[in-house]
Amino acid sequence: MDGDTEGRGPSGGKFNVKAGSPLSPQSDRQTVTFSNGQTVVVNKAVAEQFRGFFNDLIKFHAPVRGVFGFGMRGNPSEHPIGFATDWNQQSRNKVTADVQQWIDSHRDLLRKLERRWGISGGENWHNPDTGHFSIERIFGDQHLQAAKAASARD
Protein backbone atom coordinates (compact mmCIF):
# COMPACT_ATOMS: atom_id res chain seq x y z
CA MET A 1 0.00 0.00 0.00
CA ASP A 2 1.03 3.61 -0.35
CA GLY A 3 3.45 4.65 2.35
CA ASP A 4 4.59 1.11 3.25
CA THR A 5 8.31 0.35 3.49
CA GLU A 6 9.44 -3.09 2.34
CA GLY A 7 12.65 -4.54 3.76
CA ARG A 8 15.42 -5.89 1.54
CA GLY A 9 16.45 -9.07 3.32
CA PRO A 10 14.98 -12.57 3.34
CA SER A 11 11.65 -13.45 4.93
CA GLY A 12 11.91 -13.14 8.69
CA GLY A 13 14.85 -10.80 8.40
CA LYS A 14 13.89 -8.16 5.88
CA PHE A 15 15.27 -5.43 8.15
CA ASN A 16 18.12 -7.43 9.73
CA VAL A 17 21.19 -5.57 10.88
CA LYS A 18 24.65 -7.15 11.17
CA ALA A 19 25.60 -9.37 14.09
CA GLY A 20 26.81 -7.30 17.02
CA SER A 21 25.08 -4.11 15.86
CA PRO A 22 24.45 -1.64 18.68
CA LEU A 23 20.94 -0.98 19.91
CA SER A 24 19.04 1.86 18.29
CA PRO A 25 19.13 5.10 20.28
CA GLN A 26 16.58 5.91 23.00
CA SER A 27 14.92 8.37 20.62
CA ASP A 28 13.86 5.43 18.38
CA ARG A 29 12.24 3.47 21.23
CA GLN A 30 8.68 3.33 22.43
CA THR A 31 7.08 1.38 25.26
CA VAL A 32 3.90 -0.32 24.10
CA THR A 33 1.27 -1.35 26.64
CA PHE A 34 -1.02 -4.17 25.59
CA SER A 35 -4.69 -4.50 26.54
CA ASN A 36 -3.73 -6.95 29.32
CA GLY A 37 -1.27 -4.49 30.89
CA GLN A 38 1.91 -6.23 29.65
CA THR A 39 4.53 -4.02 28.00
CA VAL A 40 7.33 -4.25 25.45
CA VAL A 41 9.85 -1.72 24.16
CA VAL A 42 10.12 -1.67 20.36
CA ASN A 43 11.03 0.79 17.62
CA LYS A 44 8.48 3.59 17.45
CA ALA A 45 8.23 3.12 13.66
CA VAL A 46 6.56 -0.29 14.21
CA ALA A 47 5.07 0.15 17.69
CA GLU A 48 1.46 0.24 16.48
CA GLN A 49 1.95 -2.93 14.43
CA PHE A 50 3.20 -4.83 17.47
CA ARG A 51 0.47 -3.30 19.66
CA GLY A 52 -2.22 -4.41 17.19
CA PHE A 53 -0.73 -7.87 16.74
CA PHE A 54 -0.41 -8.68 20.44
CA ASN A 55 -3.77 -7.10 21.31
CA ASP A 56 -5.36 -9.33 18.66
CA LEU A 57 -3.65 -12.36 20.24
CA ILE A 58 -5.00 -11.31 23.63
CA LYS A 59 -8.49 -10.92 22.15
CA PHE A 60 -8.27 -14.56 21.09
CA HIS A 61 -7.17 -15.64 24.59
CA ALA A 62 -3.47 -16.15 23.89
CA PRO A 63 -1.34 -16.11 27.08
CA VAL A 64 0.55 -12.92 26.18
CA ARG A 65 3.27 -12.14 28.71
CA GLY A 66 7.05 -12.14 28.70
CA VAL A 67 7.38 -10.21 25.43
CA PHE A 68 10.83 -8.73 24.78
CA GLY A 69 11.93 -6.45 21.96
CA PHE A 70 15.30 -4.71 21.84
CA GLY A 71 18.41 -6.83 22.38
CA MET A 72 21.95 -7.44 21.17
CA ARG A 73 22.49 -10.49 18.99
CA GLY A 74 25.50 -12.45 17.76
CA ASN A 75 23.74 -13.06 14.46
CA PRO A 76 21.94 -10.89 11.90
CA SER A 77 18.72 -9.77 13.56
CA GLU A 78 16.00 -7.15 13.79
CA HIS A 79 16.23 -7.07 17.62
CA PRO A 80 18.95 -4.37 17.85
CA ILE A 81 16.71 -1.93 15.97
CA GLY A 82 13.51 -2.95 17.81
CA PHE A 83 11.82 -4.56 14.80
CA ALA A 84 11.55 -8.02 16.43
CA THR A 85 9.97 -9.47 19.55
CA ASP A 86 10.21 -12.73 21.42
CA TRP A 87 7.01 -13.99 23.05
CA ASN A 88 7.67 -16.06 26.16
CA GLN A 89 10.70 -17.72 24.58
CA GLN A 90 12.80 -19.95 26.79
CA SER A 91 15.43 -20.45 24.05
CA ARG A 92 15.43 -20.57 20.26
CA ASN A 93 12.26 -22.29 19.05
CA LYS A 94 11.15 -23.06 22.62
CA VAL A 95 8.31 -21.26 24.36
CA THR A 96 6.41 -22.06 27.53
CA ALA A 97 3.94 -24.96 27.33
CA ASP A 98 0.83 -22.75 27.41
CA VAL A 99 2.11 -20.55 24.58
CA GLN A 100 3.05 -23.61 22.51
CA GLN A 101 -0.38 -25.11 23.12
CA TRP A 102 -2.09 -21.88 22.04
CA ILE A 103 0.07 -21.65 18.88
CA ASP A 104 -0.53 -25.32 18.01
CA SER A 105 -4.29 -24.97 18.37
CA HIS A 106 -4.53 -21.61 16.54
CA ARG A 107 -2.06 -21.91 13.63
CA ASP A 108 -4.41 -20.53 10.96
CA LEU A 109 -5.48 -17.62 13.15
CA LEU A 110 -1.86 -16.83 14.04
CA ARG A 111 -0.88 -16.73 10.35
CA LYS A 112 -3.85 -14.49 9.60
CA LEU A 113 -2.81 -12.05 12.32
CA GLU A 114 0.83 -12.11 11.21
CA ARG A 115 -0.24 -11.19 7.66
CA ARG A 116 -2.63 -8.53 8.94
CA TRP A 117 0.10 -6.77 10.92
CA GLY A 118 3.04 -7.24 8.50
CA ILE A 119 4.87 -9.72 10.72
CA SER A 120 6.83 -12.88 10.02
CA GLY A 121 6.39 -15.57 12.68
CA GLY A 122 9.41 -17.77 13.36
CA GLU A 123 7.21 -20.86 13.71
CA ASN A 124 6.83 -20.77 9.90
CA TRP A 125 10.53 -20.59 9.01
CA HIS A 126 12.65 -23.33 7.43
CA ASN A 127 14.81 -23.15 10.57
CA PRO A 128 11.96 -22.54 13.07
CA ASP A 129 12.11 -20.03 15.91
CA THR A 130 8.69 -20.33 17.55
CA GLY A 131 7.87 -17.27 19.65
CA HIS A 132 9.94 -14.87 17.52
CA PHE A 133 8.16 -12.25 15.42
CA SER A 134 9.88 -9.90 12.95
CA ILE A 135 8.57 -7.00 10.93
CA GLU A 136 8.27 -7.83 7.23
CA ARG A 137 6.86 -4.48 6.13
CA ILE A 138 6.66 -1.15 7.92
CA PHE A 139 3.08 -0.01 7.46
CA GLY A 140 2.22 3.45 6.21
CA ASP A 141 -0.83 5.23 7.67
CA GLN A 142 -3.27 3.76 5.13
CA HIS A 143 -2.19 0.16 5.76
CA LEU A 144 -2.13 0.66 9.53
CA GLN A 145 -5.69 1.99 9.47
CA ALA A 146 -6.82 -0.96 7.33
CA ALA A 147 -5.26 -3.42 9.80
CA LYS A 148 -6.93 -1.67 12.73
CA ALA A 149 -10.30 -1.77 10.94
CA ALA A 150 -9.91 -5.51 10.21
CA SER A 151 -9.07 -6.10 13.85
CA ALA A 152 -12.14 -4.19 15.00
CA ARG A 153 -14.32 -6.49 12.84
CA ASP A 154 -13.00 -9.68 14.48
Side-chain angles (χ1 to χ4, degrees):
M1 287 190 169
D2 283 345
D4 285 1
T5 303
E6 187 74 36
R8 294 194 173 115
S11 182
K14 291 196 176 218
F15 294 95
N16 275 354
V17 295
K18 294 178 183 177
S21 291
L23 299 180
S24 289
Q26 256 334 103
S27 60
D28 288 349
R29 301 179 199 186
Q30 182 175 336
T31 300
V32 173
T33 302
F34 304 135
S35 60
N36 67 356
Q38 296 290 306
T39 62
V40 65
V41 179
V42 294
N43 192 296
K44 64 184 177 184
V46 296
E48 290 306 310
Q49 286 173 248
F50 280 123
R51 182 190 321 272
F53 175 68
F54 283 105
N55 280 344
D56 276 355
L57 290 177
I58 292 163
K59 185 182 344 183
F60 290 102
H61 308 289
V64 174
R65 64 185 184 288
V67 180
F68 297 95
F70 278 97
M72 298 291 292
R73 293 294 186 270
N75 58 295
S77 175
E78 293 184 13
H79 279 287
I81 59 170
F83 279 30
T85 59
D86 291 330
W87 171 28
N88 233 3
Q89 273 195 327
Q90 307 301 294
S91 60
R92 182 179 176 88
N93 198 38
K94 181 160 177 51
V95 293
T96 57
D98 59 339
V99 170
Q100 187 65 61
Q101 181 180 17
W102 190 92
I103 289 171
D104 289 344
S105 62
H106 295 85
R107 290 224 180 245
D108 291 340
L109 174 61
L110 182 57
R111 284 187 188 108
K112 171 185 166 182
L113 298 177
E114 290 165 349
R115 284 189 305 273
R116 173 181 292 167
W117 294 104
I119 290 171
S120 176
E123 77 283 357
N124 299 310
W125 300 349
H126 177 70
N127 182 14
D129 191 11
T130 301
H132 175 92
F133 300 94
S134 298
I135 294 294
E136 286 281 290
R137 174 180 293 122
I138 302 169
F139 285 179
D141 289 338
Q142 181 183 9
H143 204 159
L144 190 57
Q145 292 310 316
K148 287 179 179 180
S151 179
R153 289 190 299 269
D154 280 342

